[in-house]
Amino acid sequence: MTRDFELHAIESKTVATGQSEHIPLHSHQQLAEWLWVESGELELTANNECLTLRTGALALIPPGQWHALSFASSSEQRYQRLLVTQPLESVNDTICFTYPNPTFLVAVMDELGRELQQASPASSRQVQLLLNWLYAAAKPQSAPAQTAASSKTARILHQMEETCHLPFSLASIAAASGLSKFHFSRYFKDSVGQTPLQFVINCRMERARQLLLASEQSVPDIAGLCGYKSATQFHAAFTRHSGSTPKRFREQRQNLEAKR
């Protein structure tokens, strides 16, 4: 079966000795994320489970999967992320990982990097073949095609989903996209159907719901993890957005689960 892939970017990152980095709970609705641990190890948290991925691990994080990443080590860590549009098997798709041959994987990454430097790598047959191989390595089942956002929009959404807990700055996001605030806002609204601020608020609320359901953290703690300066501010935003207070939302869902 033919799969329609589109490679958007390869991001390389080094976490120096003694330093740490944490990307809080988030999900990406448009892009799948391939995570290759080039050296060191990292902790990948999803579905209330924490996985330790060691040197050589290649993880597939499908669209819609809530996850968090933590990097903290006594030695230098290096990892690479591939941002890819690819089909889903189902809405219940989960994170998978494997440990492929490192020499071959290095060659694959190098080839993908060269393709990205070309004028139009997204339709390259070589990219399709290499991503087909990566997909099969971590997830052997075939998958139906699914409509996805444009490369430019998907990259913007990816960044906003990961950083929704940070102070919102339309000027910064627009500048990173190479557009004025006016033109970026219009482009974003046409592409996504929401304003940039509405999208960020929705990301915060989705993260809040996930934390309320999947963790025992307090409402004030969740407020901070979702970008709110106080529990009062978060309480008002969540109630306005969801029609229920955070506490009530958690209790109702817990009661439903208990009845099943």
Side-chain angles (χ1 to χ4, degrees), residues 170 180-190 194 196:
L170 178 59
S180 68
K181 291 192 293 184
F182 172 78
H183 286 97
F184 173 78
S185 295
R186 187 168 65 178
Y187 167 80
F188 192 95
K189 181 67 179 293
D190 290 344
Q194 305 174 60

Side-chain angles (χ1 to χ4, degrees), residues 10 80 104-115 130:
I10 298 177
Q80 294 191 42
F104 182 62
L105 188 54
V106 169
V108 169
M109 291 294 192
D110 288 344
E111 181 62 32
L112 291 175
R114 284 191 292 271
E115 292 285 352
L130 291 173

Side-chain angles (χ1 to χ4, degrees), residues 10-205:
I10 298 177
E11 299 178 347
S12 299
K13 181 76 174 183
T14 298
V15 180
T17 302
Q19 294 186 353
S20 62
E21 180 176 331
H22 179 68
I23 301 176
L25 191 70
H26 65 283
S27 68
H28 304 299
Q29 298 306 313
Q30 299 293 340
L31 292 183
E33 186 174 305
W34 293 90
L35 188 63
W36 176 37
V37 184
E38 195 172 351
S39 66
E41 62 181 39
L42 62 88
E43 290 186 348
L44 171 61
T45 303
N47 299 323
N48 292 326
E49 295 184 4
C50 183
L51 301 173
T52 298
L53 302 183
R54 297 180 173 81
T55 298
L58 176 68
L60 165 60
I61 306 172
Q65 173 65 56
W66 287 91
H67 62 285
L69 303 171
S70 294
F71 312 83
S73 177
S74 57
S75 60
E76 181 180 271
Q77 295 179 334
R78 297 184 62 191
Y79 65 95
Q80 294 191 42
R81 295 198 297 176
L82 281 69
L83 309 182
V84 178
T85 296
Q86 69 178 51
L88 278 172
E89 282 186 20
S90 72
V91 294
N92 296 318
D93 228 358
T94 58
I95 292 172
C96 294
F97 66 95
T98 186
Y99 285 84
N101 181 288
T103 302
F104 182 62
L105 188 54
V106 169
V108 169
M109 291 294 192
D110 288 344
E111 181 62 32
L112 291 175
R114 284 191 292 271
E115 292 285 352
L116 271 177
Q117 295 175 6
Q118 297 180 8
S120 56
S123 60
S124 164
R125 176 170 173 76
Q126 187 70 356
V127 165
Q128 298 287 312
L129 291 173
L130 291 173
L131 289 175
N132 259 345
W133 179 86
L134 289 176
Y135 186 84
K139 187 167 282 292
Q141 302 296 322
S142 61
Q146 192 173 47
T147 303
S150 69
S151 175
K152 183 176 181 180
T153 303
R155 286 294 311 281
I156 294 169
L157 297 182
H158 181 274
Q159 181 67 19
M160 293 172 72
E161 286 163 338
E162 281 195 348
T163 61
C164 67
H165 60 291
L166 300 178
F168 174 74
S169 171
L170 178 59
S172 296
I173 300 173
S177 304
L179 298 172
S180 68
K181 291 192 293 184
F182 172 78
H183 286 97
F184 173 78
S185 295
R186 187 168 65 178
Y187 167 80
F188 192 95
K189 181 67 179 293
D190 290 344
S191 301
V192 182
Q194 305 174 60
T195 68
L197 180 57
Q198 287 172 335
F199 180 80
V200 168
I201 291 174
N202 283 337
C203 288
R204 290 177 175 180
M205 293 297 103

Side-chain angles (χ1 to χ4, degrees), residues 201-215:
I201 291 174
N202 283 337
C203 288
R204 290 177 175 180
M205 293 297 103
E206 288 299 324
R207 180 182 291 179
R209 292 189 189 95
Q210 186 70 13
L211 289 169
L212 286 166
L213 297 177
S215 78

